[in-house]
Amino acid sequence: MEKKILGVVLAALLFLTSCERADLPNQFTESTLVIHKNGRLTEYLVEEFDQSRYDLDELRRFAEEEVSRFGTNHGNRPKNVVRLERVERLESGKALVVFEYPGKSVYAEFNGCTVEDIEGNRLSIKIMQEK
């Protein structure tokens, strides 16, 4: 009986997780940085988006140019590659831009900040002052 219950629970969890993944971007109501176990980072930038003033394609081009410029300045080496995963408008009307970083140092350099570990798994991000 216990195995049957465990099987049902595991199947339900698998179903819920797969459903959750499909709508993952709409879960974010504010910008979020996800740190994966392998050290990779996913940044979900969520911002107000006024379609009368801004164009989603223009935002996508801007993000692509930033990623391309960063890659060019860093020799397009795989360990320094920042990937633009998506640019879209959320159900809330806000814009979502998703970047993937291979690690904390690339995230820090791309965003002009420092990233420090605190207590193992908490992260402190400090924005560097422009000169």
Side-chain angles (χ1 to χ4, degrees):
M1 181 69 172
E2 287 178 17
K3 286 183 180 181
K4 192 174 190 177
I5 293 173
L6 181 61
V8 170
V9 170
L10 289 175
L13 284 174
L14 181 62
F15 175 75
L16 290 174
T17 334
S18 62
C19 289
E20 207 173 283
R21 285 251 183 239
D23 196 35
L24 188 62
N26 282 306
Q27 292 182 7
F28 296 105
T29 57
E30 59 186 29
S31 294
T32 304
L33 182 63
V34 177
I35 305 161
H36 302 275
K37 287 181 181 179
N38 63 3
R40 190 174 46 84
L41 286 83
T42 304
E43 181 178 32
Y44 295 87
L45 294 174
V46 179
E47 297 292 332
E48 294 297 326
F49 187 71
D50 180 3
Q51 277 193 304
S52 65
R53 294 183 56 199
Y54 304 107
D55 178 68
L56 199 58
D57 290 331
E58 187 178 342
L59 177 60
R60 181 178 290 107
R61 280 191 301 276
F62 173 77
E64 287 170 347
E65 288 169 6
E66 289 298 307
V67 167
S68 177
R69 185 178 2 265
F70 184 82
T72 299
N73 291 340
H74 292 84
N76 289 315
R77 293 183 300 271
K79 68 177 185 172
N80 293 326
V81 172
V82 175
R83 291 190 342 222
L84 176 63
E85 291 295 316
R86 68 173 63 169
V87 177
E88 65 185 66
R89 188 161 186 240
L90 299 175
E91 292 171 1
S92 65
K94 294 182 177 184
L96 170 72
V97 180
V98 181
F99 292 102
E100 286 278 338
Y101 305 92
K104 294 183 296 187
S105 62
V106 174
Y107 170 85
E109 194 166 347
F110 185 80
N111 288 288
C113 62
T114 59
V115 179
E116 302 168 2
D117 281 317
I118 298 177
E119 297 175 16
N121 61 359
R122 289 183 54 211
L123 216 58
S124 172
I125 300 174
K126 299 177 184 173
I127 298 174
M128 298 185 322
Q129 298 292 333
E130 288 190 36
K131 295 180 182 180

